[in-house]
Amino acid sequence: MCGIAGVFSFTPLTEDIVSPMVETLRHRGPDGSHICYVTPRGRSTVSPTQPYVAALGHTRLALVGGRNEGRQPLTDARRRVVAAVNGEIYNHSALRSPIASGPDDCDCDVVPELVTRYGTRGLARLSGVFAGAAVDLRDMSLLLFRDPLGARPLYYARTSTAVVFASEVKALLAVPGITARLDHRAAVEYFAVQSPLGPRTLFEGITVVEPGCCVHVSAGGVLRSASFRDALPGDRPPSFGDAAEALRDLLEESVARQWHPRAAAYLSSGVDTNAIVSTLTVQGRRTTTFTVGFNPAGLDAEEAGRDESTAARALAAGYGMRHTTVPLRARDLQGSFAALVRHLEDLRMPMSFGAWRVSGAAAPSARVLLSGMGADELFGGYVGRLKELPGHSTEDEWLASYAAAWERRMTTARERSALFSGELATANAAIRPTDEFRTLLAALPAHTGPVRRLLAVEQSFFLPGLLVVDDRMSMAHGVETRIPLADTSIADFAASLPDDHLVRDGLGKAVLRAAIADRVPSAVHVQPKMAFRVPESSWYKGELREWVRDTLLGDRAVSREFLDASTVRRFVEEHVSGRAVRRHLLWSLLCFEYWCRIFLADGDPDGDDGTNRRRGRVAEGIL
């Protein structure tokens, strides 16, 4: 994994704005960085000693090839396209022979060749996790693109004279003239479903390239966005037994492709991580597995029972793996919260803290972490959510039920009306967050089953959000997360399966369970879905109670510009007193407060400075 940053300008630039952007991404690529500048005549250079109209920067974590062989940005053989790519192209060897003649010591050099020969259609041939930018020197255009599941991030912003882009928002904020402002619609969506929807981010004017899409920018400044990957033809699904056997083969291929000599792996008591680790064992690959653990003393009974460390340790021993349990402590959450939010940027769910801790623990010895992320969203793991939704209903009835399910976790429409103040209250009055899903549902084939309906919606926003967490938390420590269960081949295969291959006898991921049945202990095979949990609900009522109150209700609270203080107090006291469980909402409120302090107030989130320096900060404009 790496980081990319760059600019595509409609008028020549004379100041170097890309070097500071790349510098902010050093944590993503400790093994070197390079920048390529493109002159108005379409010539590339490594130094901005003359006016330039485009620049691509890259900071590298060297996992394929040596430090020099994998150096980016890259060009095709005839130097017609310059590209920078973040991620891994797993099928680069298979692609190489017909399109490139160089040695097989770099996975991303196939990208500029594909773009040169086939344009955006060439991106559909890639299998892997990737996000990239390519400048076509033939017509001086820019192409931004992102893998089908959204495993690697890519953001961009348009100014009056240029488009700037980067793997993380903080690199865009390093550009003079670009300042952080809250996107009101995204904030409403965040407090409704714990994620901004569509291409929006919490940063007004900063857009994310959507999964499986490319953004084309012409020399004249016209932006067009489209999917580069057509829907696959609907073949007749295999029998359940044949599907399980086929998935087993695909899993073995995916794990082998994504293996690295310095890989470690997550391990819990659940199906997903055990599918990966058991496959490593069959392939004779030994590594260190990681899980999180916490002291159950003083926790609510439900959360105390969520500790999986003892089971994971026993499973690791059975697989012949070394094992490390990473402790989760309330004081560590408080102490790392500012850094966590600063790296996360695109706010999401509490599992961020567990991923932060495991990545930090793995970093001294590992460069890759194999994660089980994606299996629930591809194979129907959320049986509990399915029970909250009607099986057969009209689109409006289904959307109403889906919204109600999220309201039980976050906020109702009435609560949001009370929560928001100022400009956010005005925006909320005109927004129904679930409207984003209406078009998606309308595009599904008639009589789509309840499992497929849920997966279609949650693959559109929940899965990319989870993958953002994996990416940001691991890259903050210079480690790359890989997701074997969400490999392109496995995702395509999962999309071809009917509902009854996914959910059977009250258990989700039925075909995945069958595929690994003889490789994992029976307790794993039949275990119901148990969501990964940090015991923050108990911590908010116990060790972290005063921190929560001080952060959200104290004089330094910056978010009160957007949120009604009395309503926030009510939510806090409901949870602290035990009258209601507001753990999802309190996490979101805490993240939002720190986000406002870090990005809007431009101050120290845990100190006393910065509270009076408001979001009106404007840098001298270059773009």
Side-chain angles (χ1 to χ4, degrees), residues 13 115 354 515:
L13 298 170
V115 173

Side-chain angles (χ1 to χ4, degrees), residues 142-416:
L142 171 70
L143 189 66
L144 305 176
F145 52 91
R146 191 173 175 212
D147 66 76
L149 293 180
R152 298 295 176 257
L154 185 58
Y155 300 87
Y156 66 96
R158 167 104 186 233
T159 73
S160 60
T161 59
V163 172
V164 290
F165 51 90
S167 298
E168 297 185 7
V169 173
K170 59 180 65 67
L172 301 182
L173 298 178
V175 177
I178 295 183
T179 188
R181 295 184 299 272
L182 179 67
D183 184 298
H184 299 132
R185 183 182 183 98
V188 171
E189 293 168 347
Y190 174 64
F191 282 106
V193 294
Q194 217 165 37
S195 174
L197 302 176
R200 279 180 296 277
T201 71
L202 286 175
F203 299 86
E204 184 182 49
I206 294 178
T207 304
V208 64
V209 178
E210 295 191 87
C213 289
C214 58
V215 175
H216 184 270
V217 187
S218 70
V222 178
L223 275 69
R224 292 181 288 107
S225 180
S227 172
F228 63 77
R229 203 161 184 267
D230 296 330
L232 298 175
D235 296 332
R236 182 176 180 179
S239 68
F240 184 80
D242 288 345
E245 185 175 343
L247 178 57
R248 184 187 183 105
D249 292 340
L250 290 172
L251 176 60
E252 290 183 356
E253 293 169 3
S254 176
V255 169
R257 271 196 301 270
Q258 300 191 34
W259 170 254
H260 187 273
R262 292 185 61 184
Y266 282 91
L267 181 61
S268 67
S269 61
V271 172
D272 309 341
T273 58
N274 277 270
I276 295 168
V277 176
S278 65
T279 302
L280 290 173
T281 298
V282 169
Q283 294 177 348
R285 306 180 194 275
R286 295 294 183 265
T287 188
T288 300
T289 55
F290 288 85
T291 193
V292 296
F294 46 83
N295 185 351
L299 302 182
D300 294 344
E302 193 271 340
E303 287 194 320
R306 294 279 181 166
D307 184 278
E308 299 179 79
S309 58
T310 300
R313 188 181 307 111
L315 287 164
Y319 295 131
M321 302 295 182
R322 303 178 298 274
H323 187 70
T324 297
T325 299
V326 182
L328 297 183
R329 295 179 289 255
R331 65 177 182 271
D332 295 327
L333 175 61
Q334 180 179 349
S336 61
F337 207 81
L340 187 154
V341 171
R342 184 178 286 109
H343 278 283
L344 189 56
E345 298 176 338
D346 220 2
L347 300 180
R348 291 301 190 276
M349 57 290 299
M351 59 152 296
S352 311
F353 178 55
W356 173 272
R357 291 284 292 160
V358 169
S359 299
S365 58
R367 303 204 103 189
V368 168
L369 262 173
L370 300 179
S371 166
M373 201 64 73
D376 288 312
E377 293 74 25
L378 295 177
F379 290 99
Y382 297 120
V383 176
R385 295 187 195 181
L386 285 168
K387 292 177 181 178
E388 298 180 78
L389 301 171
H392 299 284
S393 61
T394 66
E395 180 181 292
D396 287 339
E397 290 170 339
W398 193 92
L399 278 173
S401 297
Y402 187 74
W406 271 105
E407 286 177 348
R408 287 189 284 275
R409 295 172 176 83
M410 290 291 290
T411 57
T412 65
R414 178 175 295 180
E415 287 172 335
R416 289 194 296 278

Side-chain angles (χ1 to χ4, degrees), residues 474-487:
S474 62
M475 286 312 302
H477 298 92
V479 177
E480 175 180 303
T481 298
R482 295 184 179 179
I483 44 175
L485 288 171
D487 185 86

